[in-house]
Amino acid sequence: MDQKHKDIINEVIGNVFSSTAFMFPEPSDLPDGVNLEEQEMIEVDLNYDGHQDGSLALVVPLVLCKELYDNMSGEDFEEDEVPLEDQLDAIKELLNIIAGQLLTKIHGDKAVFNLTDLMARKLEENEFFELIENQDYVCNMADDYLIILVLSEKRKEYEC
Amino acid sequence: MALNILIVDDSRTIRNILVKTLKLTEIDIGEIYQAGNGEEGLECLRENWVDLVLSDLNMPVMTGFEMIDKMFEDELLCKIPVVVISTEGSVTRIEELKKKGVRDYVRKPFTPETIGEIIASITGVICNGSKA
């Protein structure tokens, strides 16, 4: 991923988190010695096709999902008041908004895309490290929470 | 007269935000119905009197596009104004929706003011609760 795309992703993450959830992520390197023993990581992803085929994945700690839900709802719920399904719904919707903004910024506003349903799952520690070793990602930090976005686009083959 | 509004979005978080947003506009709201996809939306429209539909596009089971097509094929449902609230950023697709008869389009994330202004312009209801 080139720097131009990374800059666009950082800008979109900043805009979407601040306008939707009143959080202000800053671009960051992955902190040294990330310890996942004390925090569950969640991955939400979607695929898209049309003007360009690809996928987007957002990886965040589960505790951030509850905070996002609170901020998006404008209420401060107790931890056990928000079902996991609703916490995941909040982060899925955030990725949905990020996808809409990002694809337009990268490919222009005439490009048409079809998005698949969003899927959320727990990311095991080994899967997390596998992902950051094998994928090109952009890392942001918001209130000490990791926010990782992976954009992967397939190379289009054109007929001559 | 109070407006009955149907919100169609697969995200419960967004439906909750929209309910709060509608209450913030001070428009005289009657019933707010909610549906998680286009199929549930159509079912609700057939069972209830609805003055305005706010709908997402990308949803499982039946998308907003399909629901809107089915609404415009129906001689009663085609009269209900539809506002699309979605992450869709393609002007090509937004133009298609407007050609179909969709009254307006709001891109997520939205503000209460935008929603209020659009409802006001479609229904003629002033946002402070009085009628135009």
Side-chain angles (χ1 to χ4, degrees):
Chain A
M1 197 188 306
D2 59 27
Q3 193 56 44
K4 185 184 156 200
H5 281 80
K6 287 187 177 179
D7 291 343
I8 293 174
I9 291 173
N10 284 327
E11 186 193 336
V12 169
I13 288 177
N15 287 343
V16 172
F17 271 77
S18 59
S19 58
T20 312
F22 311 106
M23 296 190 88
F24 301 91
E26 289 288 339
S28 161
D29 291 328
L30 191 70
D32 289 334
V34 179
N35 184 353
L36 299 185
E37 278 173 17
E38 288 171 11
Q39 55 180 342
E40 270 186 51
M41 298 300 283
I42 297 294
E43 181 191 53
V44 276
D45 59 24
L46 62 80
N47 295 313
Y48 54 89
D49 60 29
H51 176 81
Q52 171 74 50
D53 298 357
S55 65
L56 268 174
L58 186 63
V59 178
V60 298
L62 177 59
V63 284
L64 176 62
C65 301
K66 156 73 172 57
E67 204 160 317
L68 289 170
Y69 181 85
D70 283 359
N71 291 1
M72 289 166 81
S73 307
E75 288 181 51
D76 198 5
F77 294 100
E78 293 297 323
E79 202 148 314
D80 55 1
E81 277 183 309
V82 185
L84 178 64
E85 193 189 338
D86 287 352
Q87 296 180 42
L88 297 180
D89 184 71
I91 190 68
K92 281 186 193 173
E93 192 53 34
L94 244 110
L95 180 61
N96 191 24
I97 298 172
I98 288 172
Q101 306 267 334
L102 196 57
L103 293 176
T104 309
K105 276 203 182 282
I106 293 176
H107 298 286
D109 62 9
K110 288 197 167 60
V112 174
F113 293 96
N114 303 304
L115 310 184
T116 61
D117 293 341
L118 291 134
M119 304 298 284
R121 69 185 186 101
K122 186 186 166 194
L123 206 59
E124 299 295 341
E125 196 173 347
N126 62 321
E127 291 176 306
F128 174 83
F129 287 111
E130 208 170 284
L131 182 137
I132 58 171
E133 273 167 28
N134 299 326
Q135 299 270 8
D136 217 357
Y137 64 89
V138 170
C139 179
N140 275 244
M141 297 290 289
D143 300 339
D144 294 334
Y145 296 124
L146 268 179
I147 299 168
I148 292 174
L149 193 122
V150 182
L151 168 70
S152 122
E153 294 204 321
K154 289 177 191 158
R155 193 169 291 180
K156 276 263 184 190
E157 287 178 16
Y158 295 98
E159 283 179 23
C160 297
Chain B
M1 195 181 74
L3 290 175
N4 290 348
I5 297 179
L6 168 64
I7 299 169
V8 190
D9 198 306
D10 57 329
S11 165
R12 190 152 62 182
T13 313
I14 290 294
R15 294 201 305 268
N16 289 342
I17 294 172
L18 274 169
V19 170
K20 283 187 181 167
T21 300
L22 289 170
K23 288 176 180 167
L24 277 176
T25 61
E26 294 179 14
I27 287 172
D28 189 8
I29 305 283
E31 294 291 330
I32 300 177
Y33 301 105
Q34 297 187 34
N37 60 57
E39 197 172 279
E40 288 177 16
L42 286 175
E43 206 176 297
C44 178
L45 287 168
R46 289 183 181 122
E47 287 171 5
N48 302 284
W49 180 267
V50 172
D51 300 294
L52 176 68
V53 176
L54 306 177
S55 180
D56 189 14
L57 292 175
N58 293 312
M59 291 179 285
V61 185
M62 182 189 282
T63 67
F65 295 106
E66 293 168 296
M67 183 192 78
I68 289 163
D69 282 343
K70 288 194 186 294
M71 280 181 71
F72 290 138
E73 285 165 12
D74 185 295
E75 62 178 316
L76 284 177
L77 302 185
C78 70
K79 292 172 184 152
I80 304 171
V82 179
V83 175
V84 167
I85 301 177
S86 165
T87 59
E88 180 65 61
S90 161
V91 288
T92 314
R93 203 159 251 169
I94 295 164
E95 278 165 16
E96 266 174 42
L97 286 165
K98 288 195 172 167
K99 273 185 199 159
K100 279 178 199 265
V102 165
R103 294 290 288 274
D104 219 324
Y105 172 78
V106 180
R107 193 171 185 194
K108 293 177 186 172
F110 50 80
T111 62
E113 291 78 15
T114 312
I115 302 291
E117 281 164 17
I118 284 175
I119 294 177
S121 73
I122 289 174
T123 60
V125 177
I126 306 295
C127 285
N128 64 9
S130 60
K131 306 279 160 62

